[in-house]
Every structure is written in structure tokens, then in C-alpha cells.
Amino acid sequence: MDHSYQAWQEVLAEEFFGRQHAGHPTLFYVDDDVEQELRHGYGMEEPLAQCVGRFLRLGSAEPYSALEDYRWRMRQQDKDGVPAFLPLLACSVLAASRMVNDRNHRATAYHARFSELLTGHEKQLGSHHYEPISRMWQVLASWQHSQKGARGLCTVPAPADLPSNRSMIGFAQSQALLSGADRSFMPILFRSLREYGTTWPLPGEALLAQIEIRGMGQHFSKGFRNALQEEEFRPFLAKLIGNYAASWDGSDELVPTGVTRAELLVRLDAGRLSWVARLRSAEQEKRIELTDGVVLEQLGDTAYYGVTGLPAPSADTLTRGIRRDGDNLVLSHPSCSVLVFARDDVLGVWVGTDAFRPGEAYVVLAAPTAQRDVQRLLDKAATTGRSADTSKLAWVPRGWAMHKPVTFDDAVTLRRALQEVQGAVGLLQPPAQFKLRLEGGLKLAPSLDSHLYLRGGEPRVVVPDATEGTGTLVVDGKQRPELRKAVTAGRPVPLAVLRLEPGRHTVSYAGVKIDFATADRAPVEPKMTKVCGFIVVNDKASESPSLLVEQTLPTGITGAHCTSGTTPDASAVMELCRRDADEVLFAAADGRLWTLEAPEQPDWWTERLPDTPAPLRFEAGFHGIGGWLLERRSGRWRGRPVNSGTPKPKSAGNPRAWARAVLNAQHASVEPSWAAYVQAAKELDR
């Protein structure tokens, strides 16, 4: 796999799944115009489809195997990174965006367009080749859900939401439904509907009906209007636009991409309603000040913040919604007529949630306009909590009804009831499950083994929606009849009831296996009793490492390979590196490669300099060594020389890693000395 495919992967990952999308619904929308903008904006020389097409193994039973192999290699290097098949998936969306009636194809003909896009011939790739791509979509959705919204809220549908005859291509079609213009128009639509006093948020089907009744379809793209007319695809379109309505905070535009969205949640604790904020951003400050005197204070080392300066949750504030702006951050709670509380594992209290999950207990509050819908849902699907609690509690908003504890034992019945009732509860669908996984449980020593649990505190098994009811759950090679009921109901399956013996265990379902281990006590983490390093004599480090004894430990060098010591008078160069860079590398002239990490802010910083903001840059010192300093920001590399000299990458270090890094950043500079580095890397890469 050459650097052009990797470059497209990085561009797409940054554009659609970068951290600037935290808390935002994310559509992987790619059409011909978007592809051209990305090519010109990021300086990509090769068109997307041409780049992907070069790596297809046409004529074989598995034409995408080279791309799948590349994805697995990248996963070994970074398990939390964006799955490395984005260029192929982007092409599948590009093909979906071209699905219109023309002289050669009907609007529903997908595979001919996909094949023509990648191979130039409409029959080279057929529907029988497409199954690996549908699996890639599900892997992407699973990864995005695992990031808990930090890389954008997933809009890839669950397999159960797609028409059966288009279940594979439906993933790509789903991302091509709403163009950028469609999304920018939606707040105008939402505001015009809510001004009529409608219960909000409206379910997606009601929104589509209003678009048709009011003749607003003309404001949407042709792809959206075509999907609106398709009976099979309309339910998913309803769910997609309904999700946007549920995340709308009442402003004239959706929270712009690149602006962090802090979710304002309602907390129920000790008979009192209050606000708590949740940030999905990777970088979290201890204190954040917003407009109108609103202040967020971080609650311990969590993603939650206490909120001061806002009026308490009430019937008025909940139905109107709240929004406050700060520096590159928006705090908002959309208007709502139904509040659902669940126990939060982090805070240990009841906190507002956005979906029902079978087997869990909830407290449900319903405004007068939504009480009929809530009652219909509970009558159809709830196991407990059907009757409203008539006790007069001071914290319940005036006029609102309360149900507690509300539980749903059957996920299938719950989903069907939500689809039938719609109304104000139509958006509380259980979260989609895309792969077999473990959740919960009491972990022991996660730093040693992330899948080691206390005996008796085993995790629960979540079965994917696509295979629900089609397989048998097997634990340690045996079928377990006592777990069959939970699997049939679509609930997480508790393993603690099996009373497993300590040791390693395997869970398998529909051909997928997961391993974990149990123990009676946590293992003792090993402690380092011996230190290896380089002895320093007369300011020069030894050429080979050795054990450092008590006498040599204070002056020895550890954690670095110093094969060539530097003299005290070696020239030192100090460079300033960006803290907000995604990656900072130093490619030395002799073939060594370093990743430079931004140092942590020292504890005394805020004590002595309370009013000084954290610096934008950090210092890096280079003693007697030359090369190029490379920084990647927003998908683009920038570089500058540091006593660059003539590159001789074969003399030391890891030449292949050095060459790969230089080629990835080959457009970092136009200076002649950098061109020499790129040429040296190309010679190594042959």
C-alpha cells in the first residue's frame, strides 16, 4: 500500500471523524464536489477512486483483500485509530450519490455505478463482491460508538433499520441522503415547526410529513427528495432527520463543526433537579466560563462538569431549551417534552439519558403534551412502571407526570412499540449494537489485562442486532440454556449467573469469539528492581547498556540509546513545537526518527501563575544533531530544518520507518534541502 492511499485515509479521517466532530451527528457524505474540494484543499495529486482502484484484486473471489490486510496492519499499530478502509467506503458513498435515472441505469442501480467508478467497467464488481464492504460499515459504526461521541455521533444505521433487499448497500446510501445544504436548512425547518407550539422534538416520520404538507421538499437536495418517495427507504430517512431534531439546541444553526458541544443534562439527586454538563472532547479543562455568568467546574477526573449560573430545571426551561456560548464551545439542552433518567455509573446518581436499554430501570417524566404517547408506549412494552406515580413531589416539574421504576424486559417488543407509538418518545430507540462485545463487570488490574474480571463479577455479553435470534450463545464450548431467554429478548446476557471457575473463558455467538479471564484476587503488578542504562564517564555515555548499580545510577542515562555521546560544547538548537499538532516528528539526517510529545503542564504552573494561559508551544532541544522537524495539523504536514545537512539514512536508526515518515510528509516544504530528504526516502522505499 503506497503513501497516496494512506494520505487519503488520513484526509478522510480528519475531515469526517476528527475530534472537531465531538458531540455532533456525523455523516460520511462524499459526492463529486466534496471529493474535488478535498483533493484541492489537501493537495492530493491522485483522485480518490483512481487511488482505491489500483489496489483492487480484480478477477479474484476477494477483490478487496489487499485493503482489508492494510486495515489489519494499521490496527496493530493503533487499536483506537479510525479503521483504515475509509477511502473504499468513501467510494461506496460516492457511487450512492450518483444513483439517479439516466440513459444507462435506473435510480436503484447501485453496483453498476460502484464498479464503473472503481474499474471503469460496470460489471467487474457485482453484488456478490459487496459483502466485505457492508461488514466494514458495521466495523466503522462499532468503532465510532466505542469512542462515545468523541469522534462524532454515529449516523450509520443498524442492519435491522435497512430494507432487507438493500441491506448491504443501505449503509452507503444512508450517508448520501443529507447533503451539507440539507443539514444547514434543517434548523430553519425545526424552528418553523416549533413556533406552532408542537410537542418537541417531533419524531422523524412526523417531520417528513410536515415537509410534504408544507411543500418544503424544494429546499432539500434531489437525493433527499428521491429517498422521500421510496417506501422502503423512508423509515431510515425518518430516523436520520429525527436524530438531528433531537440534537438541535434551538439556535438558528446546528452547532458548527469544530465547535465543541457540551451536553447539558438533567441530574436527579436527593430529591432535587439540577444541571450537569458532559464534554466528549479529548482535552478537558478544569474550569470553563461561558456567557451570562455560567461556569462549568470539572467533577473529579471525569467528563462531567457541575454547572452554576443557570436557572434550575423546570417546566419552563425544559420546554424552551437552553443554550450558552463560550470560547469555541456551546453548552445546550434542546427543548423536550419527555425526560428519561437512568443510573449513571460514573456519578452514581440519576442522570438524563437519550435512549431506553432493556433490563435497566428508569424514571420517566412527561409533559402534558407527551403524556398520552408515554402511556401508550408503557402499556405496549413496559414490564413495570406503567401507572403514573400520583405522589406530589416538589421536584417534579409542574403539570408533568412521573413513572418509576420503568423497565423493559424485551428489546424486540420495545423497538416495535416505539415504531408504532412514535410521538414524543419516538427517538428513544435502544442504541444499535454492531458487534459481539462485553460490557460492565468488575475488572481486576486493567493495566495488566483489560479482560480480567473478579470471579462473580463477570461482564455481560451484548449480541449484535444483525445476528439477534440467528445463533446460539456458547460459553467455553457449551450451550447454556439458562441464557437463552435473555438472548431471545435482545437483552445483555449476564455471565455472572453461570458461576464460572477462575481461569480463561471463551464466549462465541454466530461465528464470533471473545476471550476473557476471571480470578479470585487481583495479581500483584511487577515492580522494577533493576535498572538498565548507559554509564557516563567523563561526560561520555558508554556504547553498550548495562545494569546500573547504586554508585552509577545517579549519573547514568536511562530510557535513551546514546551510542554516540556528545561533548559539552556541542551546539544546541532550541525549537518551538505546536501543542495543538496531531503529530510532531523529528527525522534526523542519519536515519533516526523521534516522536516528540508535548510535556505535561507542571503542578506549580497554576499555583504561581494563576492568570497565565497554557502556552501554545513547547520547547524541544537538539544537541549536536541535524534533521527536519515535522508537524501534522488538520491533515497537513509542515516542516522546517534544524541544521539539516545531507541526509544519510542508512547510517543509523530504522531506515524504513524514517523513509515512511518522510514520504508521508513529502509536501511539508518546498525547500531544496527537504527535496533531498524526500529523494533519499524514495530510494530506500524501492
Side-chain angles (χ1 to χ4, degrees), residues 197-213:
T198 311
T199 300
W200 195 265
L202 280 176
E205 191 59 49
L207 289 168
L208 296 184
Q210 289 293 331
I211 291 173
E212 293 173 319
I213 292 170

Side-chain angles (χ1 to χ4, degrees), residues 360-383:
E360 295 189 15
Y362 299 94
V363 174
V364 179
L365 298 179
T369 53
Q371 288 172 16
R372 180 174 174 271
D373 294 329
V374 170
Q375 190 62 61
R376 287 178 61 208
L377 172 71
L378 300 183
D379 288 342
K380 287 176 177 288
T383 309

Side-chain angles (χ1 to χ4, degrees), residues 255-311:
V255 177
T257 299
V259 175
T260 301
R261 181 182 175 194
E263 298 170 276
L264 191 58
L265 306 173
V266 183
R267 173 174 55 185
L268 170 58
D269 184 21
R272 186 173 68 93
L273 295 181
S274 60
W275 298 110
V276 63
R278 179 172 60 196
L279 266 68
R280 301 182 188 272
S281 174
E283 297 180 4
Q284 292 165 341
E285 302 176 27
K286 293 291 184 183
R287 177 184 171 90
I288 302 173
E289 295 184 7
L290 306 177
T291 56
D292 300 332
V294 178
V295 177
L296 308 184
E297 296 276 359
Q298 190 175 18
L299 300 176
D301 188 20
T302 71
Y304 290 97
Y305 287 73
V307 181
T308 57
L310 285 179

Side-chain angles (χ1 to χ4, degrees), residues 139-162:
V139 169
L140 176 64
S142 289
W143 169 82
Q144 204 173 358
H145 281 295
S146 73
Q147 302 299 306
K148 302 186 185 301
R151 298 297 190 93
L153 304 178
C154 181
T155 60
V156 177
D161 295 329
L162 297 170

Side-chain angles (χ1 to χ4, degrees), residues 8-18 21 82 86 151:
W8 266 114
Q9 166 71 21
E10 292 175 355
V11 165
L12 295 168
E14 173 64 25
E15 188 72 18
F16 294 101
F17 303 101
H21 293 287
V82 188
L86 294 187
R151 298 297 190 93

